[in-house]
Amino acid sequence: MSAELASSLLFNLWNMKEPLIRKNNDYPVATASVEEDGLQQQGRSESLWMVYLSTFVAVCGSYVFGCCAGYSSPTQDAIREDLSLSLAEYSMFGSILTFGAMIGAITSGSLADLLGRKGVMRLSSAFCAAGWIAIYFAEGAVALDIGRLATGYGMGVFSYVVPVFISEIAPKNLRGALATLNQVMICGGVSVSFIIGTFLTWRALALTGLVPCGILLIGLFFIPESPRWLAKRGHEKEFEVALQKLRGKDANIAEEAAEIMEYIETLDRLPKVKMLDLFNRRYLRSVIIGVGLMVAQQFGGINGVCFYLSNIFQSAGFSPSVGTITYAILQVVVTLLITQVIDRAGRKPLLLASGSGLVLACLITGLSFYLKVNELALDYVPVMAVTGILLYIGSFSAGMGAVPWVIMSEIFPINIKGAAGGLATLVNWFGAWAVSYTFNFLMSWSSYGTFLVYAGINALAIVFVIMVVPETKGRTLEQIQAAING
């Protein structure tokens, strides 16, 4: 998946669009006009520190994800030399991560529904920790592959449960920014692995992956479970306690709790959903949106570009080390900036701007390779290639990297979230594998043709966003899901 490349929390204040009214008069009434100047007044009476803490703990899983994704690149030569691995054996070690992630994606939704969001994050951390330990003690290809498969499984589950958990605990005006931190921490994990992997041994680098696993496992003891999951499981008392902790002890949760419970009760009256039921008319639009955005994210070429970044720079005649470092820094910085604007600019404008930048970047990169193949304006080829690639990653980080995961966590009703979210995550990981597998074949066919293909796919993604994807900013999950699923 776009699994590439830190974290900053957005300190905005929570606001509610409508008055908080209860049948008795024991609760204060908030002003109806809080979208603008009411923010400060509302924030004074409500503390969101638990939301921030819960988000920080959850995105430690995203950081683990990034560490797993970034591990193989700086360690390839050392592992092959120390363990006398063939290129085929190391290629298996690198690619088996994706297969583990696919298995994790298939099981993530049902496990998150069964064990809870916190329970499945504990499980994922345990798999990743076991995988890192197996890699550290490995003396051959088999132990390496078992460890890599285990970390891949944890990655696949984290890629689903982290954005879902954040979207279910966050107030509507902070949901986009906090969910975007998932991508920020993935980027951060990859970047740190790239950097410290240059001076740590491959075994020591594996041990560093245990640190965020430990922080996550400890942190889960201090944060509440998702209130929406508790409500869906019928734990009404625990649901109210969790929601109160997240909104602050003095916050009036009456209206939000009533809206959640009413929506859960409506869903409970519906028949139990199976995988094939996702394609019924009632849910089809949300499934098309979620799966379509994952297809757009992956098949636009991101994993091909990221996995073979050094080769692309080298083929264009530019320093691979300088290009890779610049790429890593740019991705983290742009993703951090997106957390500041996603709840103001909206999801859809960011996707459209991102898609437009991706098309332009692919055209510039393709043109640079065309000039090189035909030996035209060779002095400009390296500059054009670097410009195209950096514009590509900047554009991807500006929307197509994080926003599909944010929207995926928002659009599925909780009764289908496990099945539908698992399907979308599986499609994402399959796309990641397909693009990374076919990239070298496409480049052998035509270097500039490869980027023209990606430009065409990104152009189709823009059309898809315009015609199908709704704007979700400033609305509760229940409002979003009711509007999409009728």
Side-chain angles (χ1 to χ4, degrees):
M1 66 181 291
S2 144
E4 308 302 314
L5 320 183
S7 152
S8 139
L9 285 175
L10 181 68
F11 290 95
N12 287 328
L13 300 171
W14 176 47
N15 69 89
M16 297 293 288
K17 192 172 182 180
E18 300 172 357
L20 295 173
I21 300 175
R22 193 132 180 175
K23 289 184 178 179
N24 59 45
N25 295 321
D26 295 335
Y27 296 96
V29 178
T31 62
S33 175
V34 294
E35 289 296 326
E36 300 176 358
D37 45 54
L39 281 170
Q40 294 182 347
Q41 180 180 352
Q42 187 77 5
R44 280 194 293 268
S45 63
E46 296 172 0
S47 171
L48 295 178
W49 69 271
M50 183 57 77
V51 171
Y52 296 127
L53 176 63
S54 300
T55 300
F56 169 76
V57 171
V59 297
C60 286
S62 307
Y63 188 86
V64 174
F65 181 143
C67 292
C68 296
Y71 179 78
S72 60
S73 180
T75 59
Q76 178 173 347
D77 293 338
I79 290 178
R80 289 190 62 193
E81 182 179 349
D82 288 355
L83 301 183
S84 301
L85 299 184
S86 66
L87 180 60
E89 288 174 321
Y90 191 83
S91 296
M92 172 61 75
F93 170 71
S95 62
I96 202 170
L97 181 79
T98 307
F99 288 100
M102 288 186 190
I103 299 171
I106 293 171
T107 61
S108 60
S110 56
L111 283 176
D113 287 346
L114 178 65
L115 304 177
R117 308 336 187 192
K118 287 175 58 178
V120 82
M121 282 192 278
R122 286 192 182 95
L123 180 67
S124 301
S125 294
F127 266 92
C128 288
W132 287 124
I133 292 171
I135 292 172
Y136 176 79
F137 287 106
E139 297 294 339
V142 174
L144 275 178
D145 291 344
I146 291 174
R148 190 70 164 163
L149 186 68
T151 57
Y153 180 84
M155 277 178 63
V157 177
F158 276 135
S159 65
Y160 166 77
V161 73
V162 172
V164 166
F165 176 75
I166 294 173
S167 73
E168 290 181 349
I169 66 169
K172 61 184 179 182
N173 65 305
L174 293 181
R175 192 175 59 241
L178 294 179
T180 305
L181 290 174
N182 172 55
Q183 187 71 14
V184 171
M185 291 296 273
I186 293 173
C187 297
V190 174
S191 297
V192 171
S193 294
F194 280 173
I195 295 169
I196 67 175
T198 59
F199 57 85
L200 288 181
T201 67
W202 63 271
R203 294 186 190 275
L205 185 60
L207 286 182
T208 65
L210 295 174
V211 176
C213 293
I215 294 174
L216 176 58
L217 286 170
I218 294 171
L220 287 171
F221 288 104
F222 299 97
I223 64 174
E225 179 58 91
S226 162
R228 287 174 169 87
W229 181 81
L230 291 169
K232 180 67 173 63
R233 302 293 290 187
H235 305 307
E236 293 188 21
K237 185 175 180 180
E238 292 89 342
F239 155 70
E240 293 180 0
V241 171
L243 187 61
Q244 193 74 65
K245 283 184 179 180
L246 290 165
R247 298 298 177 257
K249 63 179 182 178
D250 297 323
N252 185 338
I253 63 170
E255 185 177 14
E256 185 177 10
E259 183 179 12
I260 293 172
M261 290 304 301
E262 181 180 358
Y263 192 65
I264 294 293
E265 290 168 3
T266 300
L267 295 176
D268 284 343
R269 291 194 289 267
L270 300 174
K272 186 175 178 60
V273 174
K274 300 177 182 178
M275 182 62 72
L276 291 178
D277 294 329
L278 298 180
F279 302 98
N280 289 345
R281 185 175 180 180
R282 179 180 184 86
Y283 305 119
L284 186 59
R285 189 181 175 211
S286 61
V287 172
I288 290 173
I289 293 168
V291 172
L293 284 174
M294 297 305 174
V295 170
Q297 182 192 73
Q298 289 300 328
F299 285 89
I302 181 61
N303 272 291
V305 172
C306 291
F307 288 174
Y308 302 100
L309 189 66
S310 295
N311 291 338
I312 294 172
F313 283 131
Q314 192 169 25
S315 298
F318 190 80
S319 169
S321 58
V322 174
T324 301
I325 292 172
T326 306
Y327 161 94
I329 295 172
L330 179 65
Q331 186 165 22
V332 173
V333 169
V334 174
T335 309
L336 279 170
L337 290 175
I338 292 306
T339 66
Q340 309 298 313
V341 301
I342 187 170
D343 285 311
R344 291 189 294 240
R347 284 60 156 159
K348 196 165 182 175
L350 289 177
L351 285 173
L352 294 175
S354 175
S356 301
L358 289 171
V359 172
L360 179 60
C362 288
L363 292 176
I364 294 173
T365 307
L367 179 59
S368 72
F369 281 107
Y370 177 83
L371 294 176
K372 182 181 179 182
V373 168
N374 292 280
E375 297 185 349
L376 301 171
L378 293 179
D379 291 341
Y380 297 98
V381 168
V383 174
M384 291 182 64
V386 172
T387 300
I389 292 299
L390 294 183
L391 177 60
Y392 183 97
I393 193 57
S395 299
F396 183 85
S397 302
M400 199 60 76
V403 176
W405 292 105
V406 175
I407 294 178
M408 185 276 289
S409 68
E410 294 174 329
I411 60 174
F412 297 133
I414 199 164
N415 66 317
I416 70 163
K417 187 168 282 188
L423 175 63
T425 307
L426 175 61
V427 169
N428 188 284
W429 280 106
F430 174 79
W433 170 81
V435 170
S436 59
Y437 180 78
T438 59
F439 185 80
N440 276 339
F441 294 106
L442 286 172
M443 290 291 284
S444 299
W445 160 68
S446 172
S447 55
Y448 59 86
T450 299
F451 285 93
L452 292 179
V453 170
Y454 291 152
I457 294 173
N458 284 307
L460 291 175
I462 293 173
V463 176
F464 176 79
V465 171
I466 292 172
M467 299 185 65
V468 180
V469 178
E471 180 55 70
T472 61
K473 75 162 185 173
R475 304 162 74 186
T476 66
L477 297 184
E478 289 70 31
Q479 290 168 344
I480 294 167
Q481 294 154 15
I484 292 176
N485 298 290

